[in-house]
Amino acid sequence: MTPENVKKTARTSGGLPGGGGKMRLRGLLRKEFLQILRDPSSIAIAFLMPVLLLLLFGYGVSLNAKHVPLGIVVDNPNADTSSFIGSFRQSSYFSPVVMPGMRQAVTAMESGDIEGILHLREDFSRQLRGPEGAPIQVIVDGTDANNARQISGYVQDAWSKWLGLRSIARGSAMNNIPVQTEQRIWFNSELRSRDFLVPGLIAVIMTLIGALLTAMVMAREWERGTMEALLATPVEKREILLGKIIPYFTLGLGGMTLSVTMSFFLFRVPLIGSLFVLFVAASLFLFASLGMGLLISIISKNQFVAGQVAIIVTFLPAFILSGFIFDIRSMPLPIRFVTHLIAASYFVAILQTVFLAGDIWQVILPNALALVIMSAIFLGISTRKFRKRLE
Amino acid sequence: MWRRILALTIKEFLALLKDKRSRMVVVVPPLVQLLVFGYAATYDLKNVPYAVYNEDTGKASRDLLAGFRGSPNFSEVALLSSEGQIEPVIDKKEALLVIHIDSRFSRDLLLGRSARVQIIVDGRNSNTAMLAQNYASTIINNFNTAWNARHGRAGPPAYVTTRAWFNPNLESRWFIVPGIVGLLTLVVTMMVTALSVAREREQGTFDQLLVTPLRPLEMIIGKSLPGFLIGMSEATVIILAAVLWFKVPFLGNVATLYTGVFLFLLSAIGIGLMISSIAITQQQGLLGAFLFLVPAIILSGFTTPIANMPPLIQELTLLNPMRYFMVILRGVFLEGMSFHLLIGQFWPLAAIAVTTLTAAGWLFRHRLY
């Protein structure tokens, strides 16, 4: 130890050379852990919340429509129409309901009992053999546009399968479809929406954990007057902040471990990339989100406002602007700029890539760098604001 | 009785609004969020970035690609010259989709055989992938129809014509923005109510309230009114913005919509007050608020349809007031649903409101720690 260091330590720790900083920090940590144990809501935030939310959403959130109730109206039932309808009966995407006429189908659609109508007209068979081809009229309930698009996609699939089978049965090569498309979906070949939603969900849950854990802690000390007591002791401000971050960081990583384990074993989301990258990214993200919580806590001064701010700035932005469910690439440019202010958007990008595609550094490194910058900003401002408040 | 309620309401409003920061938090962020989320929350893909690897030199492949270039849904980002370039361009997310045309494409077509096109899609976001794939199929189908017509060949024996009711251009914004009305109304109400009793308990002023002549019913009304008035006025602003700013069609009846808003606010306030009176500290109140808020939003049908959920979770959503409110909002906005058709949504909301408000009133007196 250089003489200057000894002097500095001696001054700040009230004459106890060496080891004092460590001891003080240990004392603070002990206090914080005791506080966590006494009000079990922190532990509930870190462990109960991820389990509950992952269970609900892992099972509940799906963009894959299955067994869509589809009303079927056939004006003139015969062999051709029943072969076509047959291709819908076999599909797990539809649960077809045969309706006697368009009037009934329209009523059922208006009351929401069916989500689409498939109408084969009177002269379907005749037109099928004519030069123009037979129209298959499909009406979908467009209220939920995304769902409607999926349903019409499914109908197209069923139609082209039926065409294929029909031309094989008639012994002709499929020469009335000039270009055949061969689809390859990388990273998620069955397009299971759960595989992309669960990794993103981890980011949403971690945002909540990080901010909820720390949003109240500083405000609480001010509100109860214990902050003054703490400041009267020889601890440094930096140590107070560290003493707040370390316990909640540990809790947060615990929550992360739990979430990853559940995603992998319970929801069977493939993990192509490495666990190591996942946890480095999670640590960076936790710093950013704990930093945001601390900042809220320091600025708000009382728990009531801190709680309100936490509700406003954490969940909804992480839910809507992070790319967890709404693709950032689809957003207008100014909004895409706003998403850069949301730490969760970087974490979601890393999670989706590491889980489904692997350790692709061109995606991971820029996002990780952004997380480092965000943590530095949040923690830096927190430290400065905290000092200022003391003056 | 009304004087006592009025006194309590004034006190609640003061407690809520005397702090400048608290005032800001209740008013400004919901409006900003409406604007940002209204634009951000969309499933519609525009300008799908795609790359082309064309090994064919004929005119047919150029015609096919012209279809992609001319589409507002696609924008070309790269021309690849070898198969090895496909992987990095997708991995790095430079392109969402790669079109690979092999060298026999034009020859096969001219010989009257089926030609093949390979479409490779980044599946990391499965919904985006599915949409991009659907857009690509549409362009290829159009090409097929045009090719058949130009070469005098018979088309497929049957073809599909699709129409969408209630939202002919399939704009997902029309579906999402009415949902945001519910979302923000819920968040604001929770913000106002979920911590209010917990704060008084933590600070000890709740005991003072209990020894005043206020009866439980009066306390419930006094505690609910601020949340109700704030929620009502913000809901109105958001509904106006949805119609005037986002131009979401409003086909239904204003009175029907406000019946829904009224019942929904009561049930949200009931849940908020219940959480607040169970919690001993504000931290617990906040945790409770989130443990309700997050599932209530995700399992409401706001982003993912309830019909896609497994049966058990579907039954669980029956307890969620947001679920009913979503149906009311979208029904009134987009389909012009009548009061009569929505009764099935109104009565569960009323039942939730009565139950939770009663429970909150009971907990005021009986939850002593």
Side-chain angles (χ1 to χ4, degrees), chain A residues 300-319:
Chain A
S300 310
K301 295 186 184 155
N302 68 59
Q303 292 187 75
F304 191 69
V305 178
Q308 289 183 326
V309 177
I311 291 178
I312 275 286
V313 302
T314 54
F315 170 56
L316 286 185
F319 179 46

Side-chain angles (χ1 to χ4, degrees), chain A residues 39 41-42 44-45 49 52-53 56-57 59-65 106 109-110 128 132-150 152-153 155-156 159 162-163 166 174-188 191-193 196 208 212 216 220 223-224 299-305 307-312 314-317 319-321 325-327 329-332 335 352-353 356 360 362-363, chain B residues 16 19 21-22 25-26 29 33 36-37 39-45 86-87 90-92 96 105 109 112 114-131 133-134 137 140-141 143-144 147-148 153-167 170-172 175-176 183-184 187 191 195 199 202-203 281-284 286-287 290-291 293-295 297-299 302-305 308-310 313 316 334-335:
Chain A
D39 182 354
S41 62
S42 293
I45 290 173
M49 203 162 73
L52 197 72
L53 296 187
L56 278 180
F57 306 151
Y59 286 117
V61 177
S62 166
L63 288 165
N64 299 132
V106 169
M109 182 110 130
E110 275 168 350
L128 204 58
E132 298 287 306
I136 298 158
Q137 196 187 21
V138 175
I139 301 168
V140 291
D141 180 346
T143 319
D144 183 346
N146 197 52
N147 211 38
R149 264 198 218 101
Q150 275 190 42
S152 69
V155 172
Q156 290 276 348
W159 163 76
W162 174 74
L163 279 185
R166 188 180 152 86
M174 291 180 266
N175 54 7
N176 31 26
I177 300 178
V179 177
Q180 302 267 347
T181 323
E182 189 185 315
Q183 309 270 12
R184 287 278 168 80
I185 316 276
W186 282 4
F187 311 130
N188 186 355
L191 286 177
R192 288 210 314 163
S193 67
F196 106 84
L208 295 184
L212 275 183
M216 299 289 216
R220 186 168 56 200
E223 204 172 304
R224 293 181 179 167
I299 295 177
S300 310
K301 295 186 184 155
N302 68 59
Q303 292 187 75
F304 191 69
V305 178
Q308 289 183 326
V309 177
I311 291 178
I312 275 286
T314 54
F315 170 56
L316 286 185
F319 179 46
I320 293 180
L321 299 176
I325 192 158
F326 299 109
D327 202 316
R329 286 169 293 195
S330 311
M331 299 177 189
I335 306 291
Q352 285 178 352
T353 296
L356 299 179
I360 295 166
Q362 292 101 325
V363 176
Chain B
L16 194 67
D19 186 334
R21 283 177 308 257
S22 184
V25 166
V26 175
Q33 292 195 330
V36 174
F37 296 165
Y39 284 108
T42 172
Y43 289 114
D44 307 342
L45 273 183
I86 295 178
E87 196 177 311
I90 289 211
D91 278 357
K92 282 188 276 180
L96 182 72
F105 183 83
L109 269 182
S114 270
R116 291 194 163 266
V117 167
Q118 195 181 41
I119 304 272
I120 299 153
V121 190
D122 177 353
R124 264 172 280 190
N125 182 325
S126 69
N127 199 58
T128 305
M130 194 182 312
L131 286 181
Q133 190 188 319
N134 282 353
S137 313
I140 292 170
N141 275 343
F143 174 84
N144 283 341
W147 180 272
N148 281 335
R153 293 171 37 178
Y159 58 92
V160 179
T161 56
T162 306
R163 271 191 303 156
W165 281 1
F166 309 124
N167 184 358
L170 289 182
E171 278 200 53
S172 62
F175 180 66
I176 301 279
L183 199 70
L184 293 178
V187 169
M191 253 173 24
L195 297 179
R199 171 163 67 172
E202 200 171 325
Q203 295 177 343
T281 61
Q282 292 180 65
Q283 160 124 21
Q284 290 177 0
L286 185 64
L287 171 66
F290 270 102
L291 278 181
L293 206 57
V294 178
I297 289 171
I298 297 199
L299 301 180
F302 167 58
T303 47
T304 61
N308 294 358
M309 299 172 188
I313 300 216
L316 209 59
L334 303 179
E335 299 176 37

Side-chain angles (χ1 to χ4, degrees), chain A residues 341-359:
Chain A
L341 305 175
I342 311 288
S345 69
Y346 305 107
F347 193 37
V348 168
I350 296 179
L351 282 170
Q352 285 178 352
T353 296
V354 172
F355 265 101
L356 299 179
D359 295 344

Side-chain angles (χ1 to χ4, degrees), chain A residues 304 307-308 311-312, chain B residues 16 26 182-197 227-228 230-231 264-276 285-297 321-322:
Chain A
F304 191 69
Q308 289 183 326
I311 291 178
I312 275 286
Chain B
L16 194 67
V26 175
L183 199 70
L184 293 178
T185 311
L186 180 69
V187 169
V188 170
T189 325
M190 287 312 271
M191 253 173 24
V192 175
T193 53
L195 297 179
S196 71
V197 182
F228 183 78
I230 292 175
F264 174 70
L265 273 175
L266 287 190
S267 54
I269 290 168
I271 292 171
L273 285 180
M274 211 170 82
I275 290 170
S276 188
L286 185 64
L287 171 66
F290 270 102
L291 278 181
F292 166 69
L293 206 57
V294 178
I297 289 171
M322 270 289 266

Side-chain angles (χ1 to χ4, degrees), chain A residues 82-94 96 161 165:
Chain A
S82 62
S83 106
F84 184 72
I85 303 302
S87 61
F88 283 83
R89 284 196 202 285
Q90 283 148 22
S91 157
S92 68
Y93 294 129
F94 296 105
K161 270 204 198 99
L165 287 176

